[in-house]
Amino acid sequence: MAASYRGADAITTVAVVGAGLIGAGWVAAYLARGFKVAVADLSSDAPAKVRAHVAAAWPALCQRGLAAGADPSAITFHRDLAEALDGVDFIQESAPERPDVKDALYAELGRLAPPDVIIASSTSGMPISRLQRPCRHPERCVLGHPFNPVHLMPLVEVGGGDQTDPAAIEMATALYTSMRKQPVQVRREIVGHIANRLTSAMFREAVALVAEGYATVEDVDRAIRFGPALKWAIQGQFTTFHTGGGEGGLRNFLRHFAPGIRQRWETMTVPDLADPSVQERLVTQVEAAHPGQSVADIARHQDDRLLELLAILD
């Protein structure tokens, strides 16, 4: 393989293919770091929705600090993919998670984009090995999976498929790093990548505790917020247990606490998340925990606190 790709210092224009919630978030993130953005989406209302998303995100991005030359209007909209890709240096694919849509799209991306232009997918579930099959020059296809809200959350999971050139992963990682993102590498393909698997494991136990009557939704959220999450924001799970082991670190922690953790693992069950009664219990309790607050209200409060937390972590 060993192809040459356009590096972070040579990328000035990015194509965002797919302008849903994640795609629109990427548009705001790229604009804030001084890139020009070409948006490719067949929907007639995509321009209005993306502009509204960027406008709503821009005050927070200003607070975080904009790159030199950042311009919220440095954006073009295209229903024709070839037109959108003309002259771009990097592609951020955020199309719907449907195999038929992705197959047709990757065949077109491979045909239209020069081989030195990396194609990064925002996919949260489809393996890159599957996505890159119909693509010409599949070695330049990488994973670039963000967390929502994309314009604020630093995490991007980066990885490749069985045909991906390691140099493409390296270049994508460098680009995201230049954007003040925090890339982590998925070193082997696995369903859900890294962070979604971790949150899914936590959610499984949270649902079980509520469904089986051990706690309410509010209890679980407070237990996480005012317990482990405070440390996780600083140092993650493994380092939290490393510091929890005292002078002996993680080695001492495992020696003393591994039996108890294993015992807890053995009592954990898999709740039926598809059960309508379980879903209704969860929804009812979440709504009761936030009386009079819309989802938008809660999200605004979340983003305000995220900005404060990110300023501390910088």
Side-chain angles (χ1 to χ4, degrees), residues 110-245:
R111 183 178 67 84
L112 295 170
D116 63 341
V117 172
I118 290 172
I119 303 169
S121 178
S122 302
T123 179
S124 60
M126 296 183 71
I128 300 302
S129 293
R130 171 70 175 78
L131 296 179
Q132 66 190 172
R133 287 176 195 164
C135 184
R136 185 180 298 176
H137 302 292
E139 65 276 3
R140 40 68 177 278
C141 296
V142 302
L143 174 70
H145 174 244
F147 257 51
N148 201 35
V150 180
H151 68 284
L152 288 182
M153 295 293 279
L155 178 65
V156 183
E157 294 173 317
V158 185
D162 52 22
Q163 299 181 72
T164 301
D165 183 351
I169 298 173
E170 182 180 337
M171 287 298 184
T173 299
L175 174 66
Y176 293 135
T177 300
S178 76
M179 296 173 63
R180 297 175 65 191
K181 295 291 188 182
Q182 291 288 337
V184 298
Q185 186 172 346
V186 183
R187 298 177 187 276
R188 294 175 58 195
E189 286 186 296
I190 188 169
V191 174
H193 316 315
I194 299 170
N196 275 341
R197 291 184 67 87
L198 294 170
T199 56
S200 293
M202 172 69 78
F203 189 55
R204 179 185 63 186
E205 183 58 20
V207 171
L209 289 170
V210 174
E212 296 170 17
Y214 295 105
T216 65
V217 161
E218 188 172 10
D219 293 331
V220 171
D221 278 358
R222 285 171 59 83
I224 294 170
R225 288 180 60 212
F226 298 109
L230 289 172
K231 291 185 178 181
W232 288 343
I234 299 166
Q235 58 193 15
Q237 178 64 86
F238 284 110
T239 306
T240 290
F241 281 174
H242 186 53
T243 58

Side-chain angles (χ1 to χ4, degrees), residues 254-278:
L254 293 174
R255 185 182 302 118
H256 285 84
F257 298 109
I261 292 173
R262 289 188 60 190
Q263 186 177 26
R264 290 192 285 276
W265 283 351
E266 290 167 1
T267 67
M268 291 179 180
T269 60
V270 179
D272 183 3
L273 192 56
D275 184 338
S277 65
V278 172

Side-chain angles (χ1 to χ4, degrees), residues 217-218 221 225 283-305:
V217 161
E218 188 172 10
D221 278 358
R225 288 180 60 212
V283 171
T284 299
Q285 290 191 22
V286 165
E287 292 174 346
H290 301 281
Q293 291 181 286
S294 68
V295 175
D297 291 335
I298 298 169
R300 278 192 292 271
H301 175 77
Q302 164 201 274
D303 291 357
D304 289 344
R305 299 293 81 77

